[in-house]
């Protein structure tokens, strides 16, 4: 999946490519930009690691034990379906032989 200036938070945009293979997210890099953003890059690596630098601060996080919270009373997050206002912001990446 390729993102170009994708934003669902005003003033923060994501760009980059997140390859998907066999129903799994493969390693990729996202650029964070915008007037309200802590600008930088986020790298989703194999082995459930996320590394990068945002606003000049480096981070290295393991997602192995992370579980997303959900509020059943509200029907989960997000409360409403996300819609892409401009279909050109998200495009499928061409398949690559590996």
């Amino acid at each position: 999946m390729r993102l170009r200036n994708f934003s669902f938070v005003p003033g923060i945009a994501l760009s980059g490519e997140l390859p998907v293979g066999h129903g799994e997210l493969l390693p990729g890099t996202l650029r964070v930009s915008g007037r309200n953003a802590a600008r930088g890059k986020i790298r989703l690596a194999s082995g459930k690691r996320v590394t990068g630098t945002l606003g000049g601060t480096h981070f290295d996080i393991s997602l192995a034990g992370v579980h997303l919270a959900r509020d059943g009373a509200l029907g989960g997050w997000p409360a409403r379906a996300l819609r892409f206002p401009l279909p050109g912001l998200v495009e499928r990446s061409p398949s690559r032989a590996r």
Side-chain angles (χ1 to χ4, degrees), residues 5-59:
N5 294 316
F6 174 75
S7 178
F8 58 92
V9 175
I12 301 174
L14 300 174
S15 296
E17 187 171 343
L18 296 174
V20 177
H22 305 290
E24 302 240 349
L25 193 59
L26 301 174
T29 301
L30 292 177
R31 182 176 49 88
V32 180
S33 61
R35 70 182 181 279
N36 295 329
R39 293 184 173 112
K41 289 187 179 181
I42 300 171
R43 168 106 177 121
L44 285 79
S46 59
K48 296 190 176 186
R49 293 209 70 80
V50 178
T51 62
T53 303
L54 292 174
T57 301
H58 181 74
F59 62 91

Side-chain angles (χ1 to χ4, degrees), residues 54-77:
L54 292 174
T57 301
H58 181 74
F59 62 91
D60 185 341
I61 302 168
S62 172
L63 298 179
V66 173
H67 299 281
L68 296 177
R70 181 179 162 188
D71 183 352
L74 295 176
W77 185 90

